[in-house]
Amino acid sequence: MALIVQKFGGTSVGSVERIEQVAAKVKKFRDKGDDIVVVVSAMSGETNRLIDLAKQISEQPVARELDVMVSTGEQVTIALLAMALIKIGVPAVSYTGSQVRILTDSAHTKARILQIDSQQIQKELKAGRVVVVAGFQGVDESGNITTLGRGGSDTTGVALAAALKADECQIYTDVDGVYTTDPRVVAKAQRLDKITFEEMLEMASLGSKVLQIRAVEFAGKYSVPLRVLHSFQEGPGTLITLDEEESMEQPIISGIAFNRDEAKLTIRGVPDTPGVAFKILGPISAANVEVDMIVQNVAHDNTTDFTFTVHRNDYHNALQVLEGIARDMGAREVIGDTEIAKVSIVGVGMRSHAGVASRMFEALAKENINIQMISTSEIKVSVVIEEKYLELAVRALHTAFELDAPAGKGE
Ligand code: ADP
Ligand code: ASP
Ligand code: MG
């Protein structure tokens, strides 16, 4: 008998009919004798709807109150799923994050899980019940409701699986696994049977929203066997694995990730003196803005240009800070650009192959796509390009790295 944590995402619980389908699926596992803990998201669109409501009151709603509100989305689906299970004869009980006591820090809207008290869940499982837990939410030490950031139900699932020492954490969603790139953008994308934690972590942090970054981090740290599967279609899905052995035979690139959520800022004509990067980025970081890619140009006339990217939500804030810095430093000008996108190729196979980056640049050059910024690490190369070329770039790279599904497959 196994203990399995199953997480169902927003589209999979997007209507009463779907919730009943999920209940039927859970019943199948339970009938085999497995102990099941189910984590659910809010119905698709619900979290956005709630955030929009808050924004009608204030452009920057008080984070504590926002959490109180958005956590209700998941509270609805846990109760509906528990009802649907009970209706088909499966004993079930629902719990919110604070009832289970998913203890988090107090960083509202992006809280981190500190500890999970699994006693209550164990007790319910022993009593033969399926336990349905609300994803995306927890409670801080003072009893305030917190949420874990967008896509956070994945993290709830993995964290529960770690706390309960589950045999597997299954992430059920609206695609049948992790693909070489978002199958909604590239029709020829292929499902991967396996992907290493390291690669999945890069893919997630570079924009592939199929799994939340923290969920992958958690699964790697606690060695939780993690699988991504389709909610309503049979299939093996994708196993996220620690095992890198087979990567020798794997393609150099496992996947292509992309992100439209960034914006670029350039400060031109700053004096090229020691400490200049700190003078620019110190105040940016003090304003709580995270910086992603950074480029400093070669000095010319003792002045230089300095460019960096931030999350698009932080763009206006960063621009304001940068304009202040430019005045103080006597810089020539500040230029901002929100119409950029980041495209990244990811693969552990890169470690043992040279020339991967140039192959990427060649593929983009052939499409006449200008590269604005480049950053590399051991297992990824990222470039910033004009946003309007994003889909073209992803498709071109997918073909150039021989990731396209053979004709007739995956279309
Ligand atoms: P859920 O609501 O179940 O959490 P998400 O929308 O968060 O689902 O994640 C699933 C979506 O992730 C897919 O519909 C797909 O468009 C997108 N996605 C992005 N990159 C990938 C990828 N490499 N493989 C599979 N899906 C991806
Ligand atoms: N409902 C939350 C969101 O939309 C959490 C999740 O779906 O994982 O971000
Ligand atoms: Mg998700």
Side-chain angles (χ1 to χ4, degrees):
M1 202 176 76
L3 169 57
I4 304 174
V5 175
Q6 303 185 318
K7 178 257 169 179
F8 290 88
T11 6
S12 313
V13 294
S15 65
V16 168
E17 293 72 32
R18 292 241 169 112
I19 289 175
E20 293 195 308
Q21 268 178 282
V22 167
K25 178 159 192 129
V26 171
K27 182 176 189 302
K28 259 206 230 157
F29 277 87
R30 190 152 173 294
D31 287 349
K32 280 196 303 195
D34 293 339
D35 277 339
I36 313 282
V37 174
V38 189
V39 173
V40 283
S41 294
M43 294 167 106
S44 55
E46 178 64 6
T47 309
N48 287 342
R49 187 186 74 85
L50 293 168
I51 293 173
D52 284 351
L53 279 180
K55 292 223 159 140
Q56 287 176 36
I57 303 258
S58 151
E59 203 22 62
Q60 282 201 311
V62 183
R64 182 190 181 280
E65 306 312 326
L66 192 60
D67 277 352
V68 169
M69 189 179 58
V70 292
S71 67
T72 62
E74 273 73 10
Q75 190 164 344
V76 171
T77 45
I78 52 168
L80 285 172
L81 181 59
M83 288 174 202
L85 283 163
I86 292 163
K87 183 172 136 187
I88 56 173
V90 179
V93 60
S94 71
Y95 285 97
T96 65
S98 73
Q99 284 176 316
V100 171
R101 207 141 196 282
I102 295 179
L103 184 70
T104 71
D105 62 20
S106 303
H108 285 291
T109 75
K110 46 174 185 275
R112 280 181 180 270
I113 297 177
L114 301 175
Q115 202 188 327
I116 294 183
D117 184 357
S118 58
Q119 264 185 24
Q120 186 66 21
I121 299 182
Q122 300 278 18
K123 221 165 81 189
E124 294 289 5
L125 289 173
K126 267 209 190 91
R129 284 189 269 269
V130 167
V131 186
V132 186
V133 181
F136 176 56
Q137 55 179 263
V139 64
D140 75 0
E141 226 165 22
S142 323
N144 298 300
I145 292 174
T146 55
T147 63
L148 309 178
R150 298 310 303 270
S153 299
D154 296 336
T155 304
T156 306
V158 174
L160 275 173
L164 294 162
K165 301 192 173 55
D167 295 285
E168 186 163 284
C169 179
Q170 302 171 341
I171 305 287
Y172 287 98
T173 183
D174 55 5
V175 279
D176 65 348
V178 177
Y179 275 67
T180 46
T181 192
D182 190 337
R184 295 187 204 288
V185 170
V186 178
K188 289 180 183 154
Q190 300 192 68
R191 183 182 56 79
L192 300 163
D193 280 325
K194 277 185 179 182
I195 183 167
T196 66
F197 277 109
E198 211 184 350
E199 288 169 320
M200 193 63 236
L201 200 58
E202 286 285 3
M203 290 280 281
S205 61
L206 295 168
S208 300
K209 289 178 181 133
V210 60
L211 281 175
Q212 201 201 31
I213 307 166
R214 283 189 192 156
V216 186
E217 268 171 7
F218 230 103
K221 191 164 161 196
Y222 295 98
S223 302
V224 177
L226 183 63
R227 197 182 283 277
V228 176
L229 301 130
H230 196 289
S231 295
F232 306 118
Q233 291 167 13
E234 293 299 318
T238 300
L239 183 68
I240 325 294
T241 166
L242 281 170
D243 170 23
E244 219 180 272
E245 289 293 283
E246 288 162 37
S247 67
M248 304 289 284
E249 291 158 28
Q250 275 178 2
I252 305 165
I253 299 304
S254 295
I256 300 171
F258 53 85
N259 184 353
R260 301 173 205 261
D261 294 339
E262 290 193 22
K264 191 176 76 166
L265 294 138
T266 300
I267 177 163
R268 298 198 52 209
V270 291
D272 188 29
T273 50
V276 80
F278 177 65
K279 269 191 207 143
I280 296 168
L281 295 181
I284 296 285
S285 127
N288 251 329
V289 173
E290 245 180 78
V291 170
D292 181 24
M293 283 161 97
I294 304 170
V295 171
Q296 184 180 340
N297 283 349
V298 177
H300 177 71
D301 299 339
N302 291 327
T303 67
T304 184
D305 299 343
F306 195 93
T307 303
F308 57 95
T309 64
V310 299
H311 195 284
R312 229 177 258 189
N313 292 345
D314 290 329
Y315 173 70
H316 288 289
N317 193 0
L319 189 63
Q320 241 177 12
V321 175
L322 199 59
E323 276 165 352
I325 299 168
R327 273 192 299 275
D328 292 349
M329 293 175 91
R332 202 173 314 130
E333 61 177 335
V334 170
I335 308 166
D337 186 355
T338 54
E339 275 152 35
I340 58 150
K342 184 167 75 171
V343 185
S344 311
I345 54 173
V346 174
V348 290
M350 250 185 244
R351 287 201 182 106
S352 47
H353 287 83
V356 178
S358 63
R359 195 161 151 195
M360 178 185 200
F361 305 152
E362 186 189 8
L364 296 172
K366 271 193 190 149
E367 299 294 340
N368 253 325
I369 299 170
N370 188 37
I371 299 171
Q372 304 179 1
M373 297 171 90
I374 301 169
S375 96
T376 63
S377 80
E378 220 190 348
I379 65 160
K380 71 120 205 266
V381 183
S382 301
V383 297
V384 167
I385 59 170
E386 217 179 314
E387 188 182 7
K388 68 176 180 202
Y389 297 123
L390 176 63
E391 299 201 350
L392 176 63
V394 176
R395 285 198 196 106
L397 292 170
H398 202 266
T399 305
F401 285 99
E402 291 160 21
L403 297 174
D404 290 351
K409 229 184 114 193
E411 301 216 14

